Amino acid sequence: MGKLGGGGEQKKGMPLGNHTSQFFANVYLNELDQFVKHTLKAKCHIRYVDDFVILHESKKQLEVWKEQIDKFLREILKLELHKDKSRVLDLERGITFLGFRIFPHYTLLRKGNINRFNNKLKELKILYREDQISREKVVECLEGWLEYSSHADTFKYRKEILRYFNKNFPINDKKQYTYSKRYRNFYRKVHFNKLEFSAQKTLFLLKKGLCIQEVAKERKVNEDTIWSNIENLIEHGQLAIWRVMPKRKIVKIMNKINSPYEELKKIKVRISYKSISYGEIACVRAHLKMKERINN
């Protein structure tokens, strides 16, 4: 793996992280990609801006390539490899790349990155408590971190972060989030971790276009189980009720529900249509629960 360092005298330019600087970095380093691919003929080459990794079964071959790349960078692109961050490593021991520690069968977040974000979250907590930052700004920051960290094996860690968020960033003015699309989307992500694995399998098959009967047959379970999965998915904002049932049937059921927390039997008594099942009623009720939680 390697990291590039500037050669020669340092000069002022575009700030790091700027989208324009990233674009020009990729244009400039395209010659490096072509050299590695066509001249060295390396089959496994990954680069992100100035970080890159080359994989090969021979340590000796990698050492040779490292010297050739260093020479190419100095003579052609006027750059050099970072002395402390460019070395040949055994993949079994893991490699550090883009903030992750990558092993053959799993990926970890670097502890330094976790500590930096945890400290950032503590700072946001104080700012939010002092009314110096909005909850939606915190959501933006947290949403980006959750998306980034999801590329590693961080399921338990992300659940802990969400619990911390719910506890320490209570909604002060609930009305301001009622019509916020960003907040609604984040709400769905926050509650996605509550979905059991069975429901996620059902969601996958539904997105493939299978009907409820086909999903039940594919998973070798009864239709009541699938309806229960769908109810769970709808309540946690992962599936829209309008994609599962006809609009007229949904409206008929809604007109008979007095409260999202009402018992199914009481609702069923008020519905005279025999074609409407308990599963369908439960799904409409789940939809109303989800809307109430978002709006409140």
Side-chain angles (χ1 to χ4, degrees):
M1 62 175 294
K3 184 175 181 67
L4 302 178
E9 183 183 355
Q10 295 256 341
K11 296 182 179 180
K12 291 184 178 180
M14 285 177 285
L16 293 175
N18 182 284
H19 291 299
T20 308
S21 65
Q22 293 176 19
F23 170 75
F24 282 113
N26 282 328
V27 172
Y28 191 69
L29 292 174
N30 177 61
E31 289 192 48
L32 171 62
D33 296 335
Q34 300 305 318
F35 175 75
V36 172
K37 181 178 180 180
H38 298 295
T39 304
L40 302 184
K41 299 189 183 301
K43 294 183 178 179
C44 299
H45 168 231
I46 305 167
R47 181 179 65 80
Y48 183 83
V49 191
D50 62 340
D51 286 325
F52 65 94
V53 175
I54 300 176
L55 304 177
H56 197 276
E57 58 192 16
S58 170
K59 181 179 180 180
K60 184 178 180 180
Q61 179 65 75
L62 289 171
E63 293 286 4
V64 172
W65 282 348
K66 183 173 178 288
E67 292 180 7
Q68 291 175 318
I69 290 171
D70 193 33
K71 182 180 179 182
F72 172 82
L73 289 170
R74 289 176 183 275
E75 295 179 355
I76 306 300
L77 299 181
K78 309 304 178 184
L79 296 172
E80 60 184 19
L81 289 175
H82 195 293
K83 295 180 180 179
D84 299 326
K85 298 182 180 180
S86 301
R87 53 192 182 276
V88 177
L89 301 170
D90 185 352
L91 195 59
E92 292 294 330
R93 297 170 58 188
I95 61 172
T96 301
F97 188 59
L98 302 180
F100 298 98
R101 189 74 176 168
I102 304 171
F103 295 85
H105 303 294
Y106 61 95
T107 302
L108 302 177
L109 267 178
R110 290 184 63 188
K111 289 184 179 180
N113 283 12
I114 293 176
N115 292 336
R116 276 192 290 274
F117 180 78
N118 289 347
N119 290 334
K120 175 69 174 178
L121 202 56
K122 290 177 182 177
E123 292 176 9
L124 293 174
K125 174 184 173 182
I126 295 172
L127 292 173
Y128 183 71
R129 188 177 63 201
E130 297 296 323
D131 294 324
Q132 296 301 307
I133 190 173
S134 68
R135 194 172 193 262
E136 197 161 17
K137 286 293 183 183
V138 180
V139 166
E140 289 180 14
C141 177
L142 187 57
E143 193 173 30
W145 174 251
L146 291 175
E147 182 64 29
Y148 169 76
S149 61
S150 67
H151 294 288
D153 299 309
T154 55
F155 180 74
K156 290 184 178 180
Y157 168 71
R158 283 179 283 138
K159 286 186 69 174
E160 291 175 3
I161 288 292
L162 291 172
R163 280 196 291 268
Y164 182 90
F165 171 79
N166 287 326
K167 178 181 178 181
N168 294 286
F169 296 88
I171 298 175
N172 297 324
D173 184 4
K174 299 178 181 180
K175 293 181 180 179
Q176 65 179 308
Y177 299 109
T178 302
Y179 300 105
S180 170
K181 184 177 180 181
R182 178 182 291 276
Y183 185 75
R184 291 199 302 270
N185 290 337
F186 180 73
Y187 170 86
R188 295 185 181 100
K189 291 182 181 180
V190 166
H191 290 274
F192 183 74
N193 66 84
K194 296 182 180 179
L195 290 179
E196 57 189 42
F197 182 65
S198 177
Q200 294 182 44
K201 288 171 67 176
T202 295
L203 177 62
F204 174 76
L205 294 173
L206 289 171
K207 285 187 174 181
K208 287 181 66 176
L210 276 65
C211 67
I212 293 171
Q213 293 78 10
E214 291 170 332
V215 173
K217 185 177 180 180
E218 176 74 18
R219 295 198 53 210
K220 298 179 181 179
V221 297
N222 58 48
E223 291 183 21
D224 288 340
T225 299
I226 302 303
W227 276 111
S228 178
N229 289 163
I230 293 173
E231 177 189 357
N232 198 359
L233 290 164
I234 292 170
E235 183 173 345
H236 293 95
Q238 297 302 306
L239 184 65
I241 183 69
W242 311 102
R243 293 185 58 184
V244 182
M245 296 168 54
K247 292 181 180 179
R248 286 186 178 181
K249 184 176 282 190
I250 295 171
V251 172
K252 286 179 180 178
I253 297 172
M254 281 185 177
N255 286 332
K256 300 297 181 179
I257 297 178
N258 296 327
S259 166
Y261 303 96
E262 194 175 9
E263 291 183 9
L264 291 177
K265 289 183 178 180
K266 292 182 178 180
I267 302 171
K268 180 66 175 174
V269 169
R270 292 196 293 272
I271 297 176
S272 58
Y273 304 100
K274 294 182 180 180
S275 60
I276 295 177
S277 66
Y278 277 100
E280 290 171 322
I281 297 172
C283 287
V284 175
R285 186 182 64 174
H287 169 75
L288 296 176
K289 284 182 181 179
M290 183 268 292
K291 285 190 64 178
E292 183 177 279
R293 285 175 182 172
I294 292 176
N295 293 333
N296 292 334

